[in-house]
Amino acid sequence: MRPFTYAKPSQTSDASKSLKQSNSAIIAGGTNLLDLMKLDVNQPAHLIDINKIAELSQIKNNKGGLLVGALVKNSDLAHNKQVLENFPMLSQAILSGASAQVRNMASTAGNLLQRTRCYYFRNSTMPCNKRDPGSGCPAIDGYNRIHAILGTSDSCIATNPSDMAVALMALDAVIHIEGSGAKRSVPITKFYVLPGAHPEKETVLKDGEIITAVEIPQLAAAKHSRYLKIRDRKSFAFALVSVACALDVKNGVIKEARLALGGVGTIPWRCTEAEKILVGKPAKKETFKLAAEAAVKSAVTHKHNKFKVELCKRTIVKALSALENLA
Ligand SMILES: Cc1cc2nc3c(=O)[nH]c(=O)nc-3n(C[C@H](O)[C@H](O)[C@H](O)COP(=O)(O)OP(=O)(O)OC[C@H]3O[C@@H](n4cnc5c(N)ncnc54)[C@H](O)[C@@H]3O)c2cc1C
Ligand code: SF4
């Protein structure tokens, strides 16, 4: 671990000012950042601890939906009454991740900004375009079993590891941001950026900007929603494939559909084409299979992750089929 300064402001504006210092980083729960500092992957010179900013820890009702403060703990959000009733897939997604101890520390914004679990990224002795731009990507010709099949580039094929982000993608959440005296909101579908030639840039956040809250809009279909995660171990493991889905079905016909994937995309992956296929069709397995085909149509595989295409299709069909009877 390298030396760093530590500040604990009580206002978002002060935190944002401190964040303007070069090589500074926000620390929330620290469950990802401290890991990466110990591995020498991240070497911030200044840590800005935001845990004293009270307004960031609240969950508020908001026009039938929710406004979730950036510091709200993963465990509190997963067990929130309104989340359990109106957005069950969000609760299921959070509870499928990490462990109870980690979820008690982990924050909403920290979860969304956690870094990839690519083995080469986390090994500071290896080249990696994301950690050290221009150094190369050993995963492309290396061991890439856990890597992405959607949204990859010649520079990076790492998956985004967050389960919560997949559910929030399907829910059309909106990220509230503050920095340099200004506030802005970005739909989560536009928040993450594809790796392209610059995998070091993962979101649209600019220098000095802090996530203050995540807005979850009201959505009728979300009451009938599910998160299904497939992984190597039953607990404490990241997704090989995960599916967040919601269906609003009337008289056996799908009126509204939401579908997003985890474990397969370089960003949490929203399947808009597959959603279009679902809407207006009967809620049955044949329809779900067509949607699953569409969801992986643009998949690009590597030596060890070819299995993810079929696994992804089967997981989509299984997750949607579980909703068929609920709707
Ligand atoms: C053993 C283990 C297993 C795990 N398994 C899973 C899993 O299966 N699924 C899953 O989804 N996650 C999993 N996680 C990851 C866990 O969910 C994240 O570590 C956690 O959510 C990060 O939240 P945090 O508050 O601790 O973030 P921190 O570590 O404090 O921060 C993470 C990043 O976010 C930035 N940041 C934090 N808050 C803000 C803000 N408000 N504005 C701007 N930047 C901010 C920090 O600067 C840092 O870059 C696992 C973690 C561990 C240690
Ligand atoms: S896949 Fe991305 S994160 Fe992994 S080694 Fe390649 S560039 Fe680095």
Side-chain angles (χ1 to χ4, degrees), residues 60-83:
K60 294 181 189 159
N61 290 329
N62 184 50
K63 298 176 240 161
L66 286 174
L67 194 62
V68 181
L71 277 178
V72 170
K73 297 297 183 194
N74 288 184
S75 43
D76 291 337
L77 188 56
H79 296 294
N80 176 274
K81 192 167 174 282
Q82 205 181 324
V83 171

Side-chain angles (χ1 to χ4, degrees), residues 26-179:
I26 295 280
I27 182 162
T31 60
N32 189 227
L33 183 64
L34 288 180
D35 235 9
L36 295 176
M37 287 169 70
K38 288 181 206 160
L39 292 169
D40 212 21
V41 169
N42 273 30
Q43 299 117 5
H46 308 286
L47 275 193
I48 298 126
D49 184 338
I50 55 173
N51 285 289
K52 232 166 81 179
I53 309 177
E55 66 194 18
L56 301 185
S57 294
Q58 294 166 7
I59 303 181
K60 294 181 189 159
N61 290 329
N62 184 50
K63 298 176 240 161
L66 286 174
L67 194 62
V68 181
L71 277 178
V72 170
K73 297 297 183 194
N74 288 184
S75 43
D76 291 337
L77 188 56
H79 296 294
N80 176 274
K81 192 167 174 282
Q82 205 181 324
V83 171
L84 287 165
E85 277 172 16
N86 295 332
F87 310 104
M89 71 165 135
L90 178 58
S91 177
Q92 292 162 15
I94 296 169
L95 295 177
S96 75
S99 64
Q101 289 89 342
V102 174
R103 293 192 297 267
N104 285 341
M105 287 301 293
S107 67
T108 301
N111 189 311
L112 297 183
L113 294 173
Q114 62 176 293
R115 312 294 305 277
T116 182
R117 306 307 281 201
C118 170
Y119 338 102
Y120 303 101
F121 171 78
R122 289 172 64 84
N123 181 342
S124 60
T125 66
M126 297 293 292
C128 166
N129 285 329
K130 192 183 272 300
R131 177 171 27 79
D132 183 11
S135 62
C137 174
I140 289 175
D141 293 319
Y143 189 52
N144 41 43
R145 180 173 180 274
I146 64 168
H147 288 74
I149 56 172
L150 294 166
T152 56
S153 74
D154 292 343
S155 300
C156 181
I157 58 170
T159 47
N160 180 292
S162 170
D163 289 298
M164 181 198 283
V166 180
L168 290 175
M169 218 20 133
L171 290 168
D172 268 334
V174 177
I175 312 292
H176 291 233
I177 297 166
E178 197 170 323

